[in-house]
Amino acid sequence: LPKIFSDTLKGVKLALAVAKELDDWALFAAPVLTNPLLTPLAATRTATAGATPGAASAGASARGGGGGGSQDEEEDPMKGFLEGSAKKDKKSKKAEKEAKKLSKADKKAAKVAKKAEKAAAKIEKAARKAELAAEGSKRRAEAAARRAEETAREIAELEAEEVFEARAAAARRRAGTSPPGRRRAPSPGP
């Protein structure tokens, strides 16, 4: 690119940066891609690329196998990923089921806890409402009691005045028939 276009152009700079990144990734991935334990395809490529068929068995025996059959016995950790197979052994399926059960149980417990919180909140709200109603009822009862006491005092005062007036009237009758405030002339003696 720099031979054809000026390297001061923005697109050329970006293209060069992308190319450099790709080279760096290729250098990083080369050991991983050539490792026969990580990629079975690399193992088959190195075996077919070797000059003699004994090189493949030598590579297998170097990995710990005793011959050509040992490669089948040895399990490749990337096999399922590379082949794209969705086969899982029974243990992993059972573990997944248990995890799902636990997850469902946790969700259910959380739901029950949330429901209990809501119920507790409703109960607290009802208790506050009942307390407010009781306080209002108490205030009304106290006000009614005060009014009743005031009314009783007024009645007692009125009754006392009536009694006083009745006694005063009786005393006037006994003393004579003159109304209060007027004096009677003294009567001449016998």
Side-chain angles (χ1 to χ4, degrees):
L1 278 174
K3 292 179 184 176
I4 300 171
F5 299 104
S6 173
D7 61 346
T8 59
L9 293 173
K10 191 173 187 177
V12 174
K13 285 182 180 179
L14 290 174
L16 290 173
V18 169
K20 185 177 182 226
E21 277 294 314
L22 288 174
D23 289 339
D24 289 344
W25 274 107
L27 287 174
F28 172 76
V32 174
L33 293 174
T34 57
N35 188 344
L37 291 176
L38 296 176
T39 54
L41 297 175
T44 57
R45 286 183 193 153
T46 56
T48 56
T52 61
S57 63
S61 63
R63 285 193 304 258
S70 66
Q71 193 173 17
D72 294 336
E73 293 172 7
E74 190 174 324
E75 188 174 327
D76 183 19
M78 299 290 285
K79 182 178 181 181
F81 178 74
L82 292 174
E83 291 179 0
S85 66
K87 294 181 182 178
K88 296 178 182 177
D89 58 350
K90 290 181 182 179
K91 289 182 182 179
S92 64
K93 285 184 181 180
K94 189 174 183 180
E96 283 182 18
K97 283 184 181 180
E98 290 297 322
K100 278 186 179 181
K101 282 182 183 178
L102 290 176
S103 174
K104 284 182 181 179
D106 290 342
K107 287 179 183 178
K108 194 171 186 178
K111 188 176 180 181
V112 168
K114 192 173 184 180
K115 202 173 193 180
E117 287 176 11
K118 284 184 179 180
K122 282 183 180 179
I123 291 170
E124 287 178 14
K125 185 177 179 181
R128 276 186 257 128
K129 192 174 181 180
E131 187 176 329
L132 289 174
E135 287 176 8
S137 176
K138 180 181 175 184
R139 278 187 252 123
R140 287 190 299 274
E142 288 172 350
R146 272 187 258 123
R147 283 193 304 270
E149 287 176 9
E150 290 173 8
T151 306
R153 269 190 248 125
E154 289 176 7
I155 291 172
E157 287 175 6
L158 290 175
E159 286 176 351
E161 283 180 24
E162 287 176 5
V163 168
F164 178 74
E165 287 177 9
R167 285 185 183 170
R172 270 182 276 155
R173 272 188 247 131
R174 273 188 245 142
T177 55
S178 63
R182 281 186 170 179
R183 287 194 178 182
R184 237 172 96 190
S187 52

